[in-house]
Amino acid sequence: MLNGRKIVVGVTGGIAAYKAAELVSRLRQDGAAVPVVLTDAAQEFIRPLVFEALTGQDVFTGLFGGRKPLPHITLASESDLLVIYPATANVIGQAACGLAPDLLTTLLLAFKGPVIFCPAMNSKMYENPALQENIRRLEDRGYIIISPETGRLACGETGAGRLAPVTTVLETIRGVLAPKDFKGFNFLVTAGPTREHLDPVRYITNRSSGKMGYAIARAARDRGARVVLVSGPTSLEKPAGISCIDINTALEMREAVLSHFDASDVVIMCAAVSDYRPADLSTHKIKKGNAELTVKFTLNPDILVELGSHKRQQILVGFAAETEKVLDHARTKLQAKNLDLIVANDIGRKGAGFESDTNVVGLVFRDGRFIELPMMDKFLVAHRLLDVILDLRQNDK
Ligand code: PMT
């Protein structure tokens, strides 16, 4: 996703400095060129050799003595983004005051692109009013701050100050650098399972963690779209900048989806909607008896069929989770639900389907075209899906 991008990773002197190696490695795997700048204090915690091995390039350690003169100016003019991971109280304070005692802070003054600070320190330092004021000053200037997590700290105390995970930083970087090619578009995305209650303590449901649908919603947001996410119960954190509607049952999902359908340009039904619900909802817990229990189920409305029959300007995308004859079933659903595109999800394959962070899908188009995607992170699947939706939209014009 970051092919051809140049991302400077600035590492400052904290115990979490070793985690920068993982960030640099992941950025390289994503295709980015990654110059690394180490402060003097950072070198007390991690050797330049680690980053030289990961990037195949010299590491920048100072304003003077390197192979190129004026490294702060060349790095500033050639790079797309600067991330400081971890950012100590010292570098945050220097940046807030516009001080430039070393290469990293000098680069910061010369750099015009997006800058991300990832503070990490002892919780008392982090909560100190001076530090908090400095962070606010950086935010006011448009810098992005990825707040530290709360947990056990290196000093043995527990509190806020743990460096944000690499995955969070990567997602932020991808979001900042993503093309804003869906600006002005309204997306409606569904995710997760529905729960169909039998009594106050029991329900039937479908397997779905919500990861695929949330990844689509986040990718669309990053590319400039306004996104409404209708989600069944999941353990995922609500994504920032997205209008989230929580539902439980298929009937609730139908109501939420229909109320946003008319205003939507793109609708992606990724949710695993239960096809049936218990015909009767018992108000009390059903007591165990000695005999078998037979439960009668009634059919839930098929939300996508309903959308397909009302669709006007919307691009309508469905998912098909299948265990056999995947393409045949996907094509049948595409026709029956009047979709523009269906994502065929062979859930029997390794690295595909429910709960995992990756997926293996094929994209089946209305005109018969089929694009098979290799196993990839669900966030990347989401971006590939958005790429083809953009093509469909442009071909419509
Ligand atoms: O959430 P994860 O753990 O990341 O897993 C993702 C996923 C595997 C759940 C997802 O990628 C997926 O494949 N979702 C569709 C699941 C499914 O079983 O679809 P289906 O074949 O039952 O339905 C086909 C399409 O009709 C789907 O777009 C579905 O949202 C929609 N549908 C289904 C039934 C119904 N009553 N109303 C609907 O709108």
Side-chain angles (χ1 to χ4, degrees):
M1 273 201 64
L2 297 172
N3 243 339
R5 300 302 198 131
K6 191 178 250 192
I7 296 165
V8 182
V9 175
V11 186
T12 64
I15 193 76
Y18 72 94
K19 295 183 181 171
E22 168 74 5
L23 177 64
V24 169
S25 166
R26 293 288 299 273
L27 287 168
R28 295 282 299 130
Q29 286 168 37
D30 254 17
V34 191
V36 176
V37 178
L38 294 186
T39 62
D40 286 349
Q43 291 170 69
E44 299 289 331
F45 291 91
I46 187 162
R47 304 272 307 273
L49 182 64
V50 173
F51 298 102
E52 280 162 8
L54 288 170
T55 62
Q57 287 176 6
D58 287 348
V59 164
F60 295 85
T61 52
L63 275 164
F64 311 104
R67 281 201 202 147
K68 289 184 187 163
L70 308 176
H72 58 299
I73 302 298
T74 24
L75 281 174
S77 61
E78 289 173 356
S79 304
D80 297 294
L81 185 142
L82 166 59
V83 53
I84 304 184
Y85 187 85
T88 54
N90 187 38
V91 78
I92 290 169
Q94 286 170 346
C97 296
L99 299 177
D102 61 10
L103 173 57
L104 184 59
T105 43
T106 314
L107 168 62
L108 203 52
L109 287 184
F111 187 57
K112 289 264 182 269
V115 178
I116 301 174
F117 281 85
C118 306
M121 63 200 73
N122 168 272
S123 57
K124 292 193 187 72
M125 291 170 70
Y126 182 66
E127 285 154 13
N128 186 295
L131 187 276
Q132 286 300 319
E133 192 183 323
N134 285 337
I135 287 183
R136 275 195 300 279
R137 283 163 79 181
L138 296 182
E139 280 176 324
D140 289 347
R141 278 182 217 148
Y143 292 133
I144 299 162
I145 309 292
I146 303 184
S147 299
E149 295 192 323
T150 297
R152 194 181 144 77
L153 304 169
C155 56
E157 292 178 17
T158 299
R162 280 173 66 91
L163 184 63
V166 167
T167 46
T168 308
V169 181
L170 273 179
E171 190 183 323
T172 307
I173 292 173
R174 289 170 180 160
V176 170
L177 295 180
K180 304 298 174 227
D181 44 9
F182 281 102
K183 199 166 170 25
F185 281 69
N186 292 314
F187 270 64
L188 175 57
V189 181
T190 66
T194 65
R195 278 182 187 168
E196 314 296 332
H197 284 272
L198 179 60
D199 70 14
V201 294
R202 303 181 180 96
Y203 54 77
I204 63 155
T205 189
N206 284 345
R207 280 179 69 189
S208 170
S209 63
K211 285 182 182 173
M212 188 65 246
Y214 278 56
I216 294 169
R218 293 194 323 259
R221 171 204 61 194
D222 290 347
R223 289 171 71 160
R226 276 185 297 271
V227 183
V228 174
L229 174 64
V230 179
S231 171
T234 76
S235 58
L236 303 178
E237 207 174 292
K238 295 283 168 256
I242 288 177
S243 203
C244 296
I245 302 174
D246 289 330
I247 56 87
N248 264 303
T249 65
L251 291 178
E252 288 167 8
M253 178 168 279
R254 174 181 173 274
E255 201 181 316
V257 165
L258 289 183
S259 69
H260 287 88
F261 182 63
D262 286 345
S264 303
D265 303 296
V266 179
V267 181
I268 304 177
M269 286 286 297
C270 185
V273 186
S274 181
D275 288 322
Y276 295 93
R277 65 181 185 277
D280 300 306
L281 172 61
S282 168
T283 46
H284 295 289
K285 181 179 174 187
I286 298 168
K287 301 310 287 178
K288 182 180 154 193
N290 291 326
E292 285 177 351
L293 175 71
T294 304
V295 178
K296 193 173 164 207
F297 288 97
T298 191
L299 203 55
N300 267 330
D302 192 311
I303 306 168
L304 250 186
V305 167
E306 208 168 333
L307 301 183
S309 64
H310 289 117
K311 111 179 156 84
R312 294 193 314 276
Q313 82 284 2
Q314 294 90 351
I315 288 191
L316 202 52
V317 181
F319 268 74
E322 304 292 346
T323 51
E324 49 158 8
K325 298 184 185 154
V326 178
L327 269 184
D328 289 347
H329 289 312
R331 288 203 165 101
T332 308
K333 283 178 186 169
L334 178 128
Q335 294 297 336
K337 302 186 186 215
N338 191 25
L339 309 177
D340 297 284
L341 172 63
I342 193 157
V343 183
N345 211 162
D346 183 350
I347 50 175
R349 288 178 72 172
K350 199 167 175 287
F354 315 111
E355 286 106 28
S356 67
D357 289 330
T358 56
N359 210 350
V360 189
V361 303
L363 308 177
V364 185
F365 296 78
R366 208 182 169 77
D367 60 12
R369 274 182 307 135
F370 172 63
I371 299 175
E372 191 168 12
L373 299 181
M375 183 169 80
M376 51 173 85
D377 191 285
K378 281 181 175 166
F379 195 60
L380 296 182
V381 173
H383 274 284
R384 293 298 299 273
L385 178 60
L386 294 188
D387 291 343
V388 299
I389 290 173
L390 197 66
D391 283 347
L392 285 178
R393 192 79 203 182
Q394 276 157 0
N395 291 341
D396 266 2
K397 285 184 181 163

